[in-house]
Amino acid sequence: MATKKITPTKKVTHPTKKVGYSTKKLSNKEIMTKAFSDTKLWGADKVSEYLDSNGMKIITKRDKKSTGTKEVKLHTGTKKVPVSKYAIEVNDITVSAKKSIFTKRVNLISNVSFNVPIGNVTVFIGHNGAGKTTTTKAILDFVKLDTGSIKIFGVDHKNHNSRKDIGYIPEKNDIKNITVNEFFHQIGAFYDLNTKQTNERVLDLIKFFDFSKSNLKKRINKLSSGEKKIINFIQAFFVQHSLILMDEPTDNLDPQTRDLFWEFIEHYRKQHPQTSFLIVTHNLDEIQKYADYLIFMNKGIIKQTMKYDGHEGLRHLYKNLRDKWNSKVDKDSSQVSSKKVV
């Protein structure tokens, strides 16, 4: 069956009966070009447009002004939104919880403050239990704040509209009772996509990640941990977002899929330079190529934030900082002990 030639300047349709699936073998670059070229499916702010070297229409994001509002066109219509120079503003937040009904509340994170600049990759680094995932969930309003505030592009994080512009890759996928296809169609419905648009988007993304089409009929809890991670990734990039949050995005992925993941991110950033990323990861060697800013967290508090120039290896930098922090703790403890002896 003949297929129409894919051109980057207009939407491509394929003459197939059910879901518009092309049997033509496409390269990864062609798949990504098609995935990014259909701007009608995206929920991002259409502030201005430009053409890349291939003539493909690209949508740029908010500018970096820090005050006022601007009118933007979304896939749901036109509205006015506050303009901020930060994708995320976290101001002095504390989150606490009870370990059991018999114990007092303890702080999971305390007085946490930081900003995520627009158009950059900010990496959250810290040991297990440092509070990185709790902070990420607080940004998404999954956990209640005891104190402090969070803004997403200048809008309070409790505002539902602010969270609609966030793509999220959770650390774990706990969805059980629906099939992969049902899940993707729920995502499509959330973004007001019709069945045809949803099917086209799903097929574009699963082809890129070599995710078997037969898996669409399986229940999510029957998939491997690596396959679940791919589903999380597709969910986050189902439409274009201004902000992407990732919690250990490459855990449980085989080396080939891990390379595809970063290839996708690299291409995505070139196409959408104003998209902001906040990534929680322990894989310091693979993230250092992409990191612009670093947030170091330890025992529920922010120890240090810094711009990363790539001059020093990230693993080595983190080790030196931890040694510095531990040395200070030991020195403070020694001073306290000396005062007690006196």
Side-chain angles (χ1 to χ4, degrees):
M1 182 180 295
T3 59
K4 292 184 179 180
K5 183 180 179 181
I6 293 179
T7 58
T9 55
K10 64 180 180 179
K11 182 179 175 182
V12 179
T13 56
H14 299 280
T16 52
K17 293 182 179 180
K18 292 186 178 181
V19 295
Y21 180 67
S22 171
T23 58
K24 180 182 178 182
K25 182 66 174 178
L26 302 177
S27 68
N28 287 341
K29 183 176 180 180
E30 288 175 315
I31 293 171
M32 286 190 286
T33 298
K34 181 178 183 297
F36 293 138
S37 63
D38 189 1
T39 58
K40 292 181 181 180
L41 301 188
W42 294 342
D45 298 349
K46 299 183 179 180
V47 178
S48 60
E49 298 178 354
Y50 67 92
L51 298 179
D52 71 356
S53 58
N54 295 318
M56 186 170 72
K57 185 178 286 188
I58 306 298
I59 302 303
T60 60
K61 312 312 300 277
R62 295 177 176 87
D63 62 21
K64 297 188 178 182
K65 294 179 181 179
S66 58
T67 59
T69 62
K70 67 166 57 178
E71 191 174 82
V72 297
K73 293 181 180 180
L74 307 178
H75 73 297
T76 53
T78 303
K79 70 174 183 179
K80 288 186 176 181
V81 298
V83 179
S84 171
K85 63 180 180 179
Y86 296 115
I88 304 173
E89 298 171 79
V90 176
N91 182 32
D92 200 28
I93 66 170
T94 297
V95 175
S96 64
K98 282 188 173 184
K99 293 185 177 180
S100 74
I101 60 174
F102 305 106
T103 60
K104 294 182 179 180
R105 298 183 72 86
V106 295
N107 287 348
L108 303 178
I109 57 175
S110 303
N111 308 115
V112 169
S113 296
F114 63 87
N115 297 322
V116 174
I118 289 177
N120 290 278
V121 173
T122 301
V123 182
F124 228 151
I125 300 171
H127 60 84
N128 289 330
K132 307 182 299 298
T133 295
T134 299
T135 304
T136 303
K137 289 182 177 180
I139 293 170
L140 294 164
D141 200 31
F142 291 168
V143 296
K144 183 180 178 181
L145 301 183
D146 293 343
T147 61
S149 64
I150 301 173
K151 291 184 178 180
I152 310 296
F153 295 108
V155 180
D156 188 274
H157 78 299
K158 294 182 180 179
N159 186 316
H160 175 71
N161 289 328
S162 73
R163 298 196 302 277
K164 249 193 170 183
D165 205 19
I166 300 176
Y168 177 49
I169 301 180
E171 184 177 12
K172 297 179 180 179
N173 187 323
D174 296 323
I175 300 171
K176 297 179 179 179
N177 296 321
I178 60 174
T179 66
V180 175
N181 198 48
E182 289 170 340
F183 174 68
F184 285 148
H185 277 266
Q186 287 183 8
I187 298 298
F190 178 78
Y191 292 113
D192 302 318
L193 306 184
N194 60 37
T195 299
K196 181 181 178 181
Q197 291 171 327
T198 298
N199 286 332
E200 287 178 349
R201 188 62 175 153
V202 168
L203 292 170
D204 283 337
L205 289 168
I206 67 173
K207 278 191 290 183
F208 179 78
F209 286 100
D210 198 24
F211 186 81
S212 175
K213 193 177 176 184
S214 63
N215 284 335
L216 294 175
K217 298 179 181 179
K218 294 181 181 179
R219 293 193 176 275
I220 293 178
N221 63 318
K222 300 297 184 182
L223 300 178
S224 69
S225 55
E227 289 169 334
K228 290 178 182 178
K229 185 67 75 171
I230 293 175
I231 290 173
N232 292 341
F233 184 80
I234 292 174
Q235 164 196 301
F237 289 89
F238 210 83
V239 298
Q240 188 202 355
H241 295 288
S242 299
L243 173 63
I244 308 292
L245 302 185
M246 305 183 189
D247 195 346
E248 301 293 352
T250 58
D251 273 11
N252 302 314
L253 293 181
D254 60 75
Q256 180 181 352
T257 307
R258 190 176 296 226
D259 290 342
L260 284 174
F261 171 85
W262 290 116
E263 180 184 342
F264 187 98
I265 295 298
E266 192 168 7
H267 186 89
Y268 192 92
R269 290 194 70 199
K270 288 178 181 178
Q271 298 289 354
H272 311 292
Q274 289 293 83
T275 300
S276 309
F277 292 82
L278 178 60
I279 304 177
V280 176
T281 183
H282 289 109
N283 296 314
L284 303 185
D285 294 330
E286 69 178 19
I287 195 62
Q288 68 181 16
K289 178 181 177 182
Y290 307 96
D292 299 308
Y293 289 87
L294 307 175
I295 301 173
F296 295 97
M297 198 167 197
N298 186 60
K299 297 180 180 179
I301 62 174
I302 300 295
K303 296 295 291 185
Q304 190 166 340
T305 61
M306 62 188 298
K307 188 171 183 177
Y308 182 60
D309 59 10
H311 180 70
E312 183 178 4
L314 196 48
R315 186 176 297 278
H316 185 257
L317 172 64
Y318 182 41
K319 181 182 182 302
N320 288 342
L321 288 173
R322 279 185 296 138
D323 290 343
K324 179 181 176 181
W325 301 332
N326 292 335
S327 176
K328 184 178 180 180
V329 170
D330 292 340
K331 183 178 179 180
D332 292 343
S333 300
S334 176
Q335 290 176 348
V336 171
S337 299
S338 298
K339 288 180 180 180
K340 288 183 178 179
V341 171
V342 173

